[in-house]
Amino acid sequence: MKATRLGKGRSRSRKSIKSIAIMTGGGDCPGLNAVIRAVAKTAINKYGLEVWGIEDGFLGLIEDRMHVLCYNEVSNILTVGGTILGSSNTANPSAYKIRVGKKVKTMDVSDKCIKVLKDHNIDALICIGGDGTMTSTARFAKKGVTVMGVPKTIDNDIYGTDITFGFNTAVNTATEAIDKVHTTASSHHRVMIVEVMGRYAGWIALHSGVASGSDVIILPEIPYRIEKICEFVLGRSKRGKRFSIIVVAEGAKQKGGKMFIAKKLAYSPDPIRLGGFANVLAEQINQRTGLDCRAIVLGHIQRGGTPTPFDRALATGFGYTAIELLMKGVRGHLVVMKDGRLSSIALSRVAGRIKTVPKNHHLIKAALAVGTSFGV
Ligand code: F6P
């Protein structure tokens, strides 16, 4: 299929788009169904396209598990958490791991995936996913597949977009949990440490920490010093504030130290799983200060439940824009929200990168100004 360059990300292929497929890759996230609904309804209502749903992310593409989505299937799902298509974060088409006897063999099955799409006469693929999914999607674009990415993750760490859908819901959930912990902290004069997700980025910790008025916020981007945290909580005790709330990102680390790895999953493209670091921190603080400390690891609760109105609206805008851009001839791009406007950037610019919290972020400055410690 020969393509003519038209300008930024645009190409007018000789073959017009009549049929698309949608897949959701990586961890589940509030708002996935809202994107599926927006993509499918826009494609059907506005352009009369045939819409396929690929089951369980790239795994379903590799195993040729997909079906045509009927209108009813994408109705009444706007407020529903998770994904009606299923997802998987263990299948990377360019490095697909299969067990051969006792050994794990890595194979590139990208061409097999492309054949599956061709066999079903699918003209374009919409991948809804995080940084790992976008890196794989970029590889398909390089191989000539017509693709469009939609940025999903509670971590808010996808490069090129100011915000991802799912993040707002996760921040709401985390903030609500931290608010509730205040009761026990103040009644029992304890140091309560709440660990939030976010992998190598501290977006959830920063936003939920500021929103809940937490006393200490520990981010992966600002390695902490244990003595500074202890000084801070002891100082509060001396001033009559006999409790402290600490929000810690799962990817946090001590200055000169390493991240706390919970486990490594051999079959996953990104095998490292974080989680549980709050327990280590609680022990460190208790041993140095003698204060009663408790750790709460919020975990997957942050990915569950119904998306907030903000995420429903954002996801709907993203899904609609994905179809509009494809129909305008844009190829191999990621739909993004930049400076309050929906647009797109080339997947090649996104692949292999993440967006972390800059040290001069306005919320860090604001938190410092109201007396919050970042443990440094
Ligand atoms: O990327 C989303 C996320 O929830 C991260 O915040 C977390 O580190 C990871 O996924 C957990 O992955 P899994 O669901 O495989 O345990």
Side-chain angles (χ1 to χ4, degrees), residues 12 55 57 97 134 136 140 145 197 207 210 240 247 272 284 289 293 300 314 364:
R12 183 177 295 129
E55 292 154 30
K97 294 190 166 75
M134 289 316 138
S136 298
F140 280 113
V145 181
M197 281 184 162
H207 281 253
V210 170
V247 178
I272 292 173
Q284 286 178 345
T289 63
C293 302
H300 293 82
L314 181 66
I364 296 182

Side-chain angles (χ1 to χ4, degrees), residues 224-231 233-234 254 281-291 293:
Y224 70 91
R225 287 180 186 273
I226 190 64
E227 58 281 7
K228 292 287 175 195
I229 299 178
C230 293
E231 247 171 55
V233 293
L234 281 175
Q254 224 175 134
L281 195 59
E283 200 52 36
Q284 286 178 345
I285 298 172
N286 173 259
Q287 276 179 9
R288 285 169 184 256
T289 63
L291 295 170
C293 302

